[in-house]
Amino acid sequence: MIKILFFAGLADAAGVREIKIDLTKPNMTIESVKQLLKNQYSSAAFIDELDKSFASINQEYVNQDTVVTENDEVAFIPPVSGG
């Protein structure tokens, strides 16, 4: 099982800030996790925010092909703008 954290507009689109999911197969990557989430939260707003988001595992930024392991904390963080 992994913990997934959503931030900013992504959390708004999901309606939650945190979920837990079971890894469905060994060697799942961030991209695989994103696909699972897109199937679970199929709204266009969620998918758009997820596609723009940066990913981190255990508070370190990672790329899309990084493997997620049991008990990891995965965060998806949309880019922020401001002035």
Side-chain angles (χ1 to χ4, degrees):
M1 182 165 293
I2 62 172
K3 182 193 301 187
I4 299 179
L5 305 175
F6 301 125
F7 291 92
L10 190 56
D12 293 339
V16 295
R17 296 205 175 277
E18 179 181 315
I19 63 170
K20 292 184 179 179
I21 63 168
D22 289 317
L23 297 174
T24 58
K25 59 184 178 181
N27 299 319
M28 285 187 70
T29 63
I30 288 292
E31 188 60 42
S32 301
V33 171
K34 286 174 83 171
Q35 190 56 54
L36 280 176
L37 294 171
K38 288 178 184 180
N39 292 338
Q40 186 171 346
Y41 299 96
S42 58
S43 77
F46 179 84
I47 291 171
D48 183 54
E49 287 292 318
L50 186 62
D51 285 341
K52 294 186 291 188
S53 294
F54 299 98
S56 73
I57 296 177
N58 301 324
Q59 301 179 3
E60 292 189 26
Y61 285 110
V62 296
N63 59 33
Q64 300 301 307
D65 60 351
T66 301
V67 174
V68 179
T69 58
E70 200 67 29
N71 299 314
D72 278 344
E73 178 184 85
V74 178
F76 291 103
I77 307 152
V80 290
S81 61

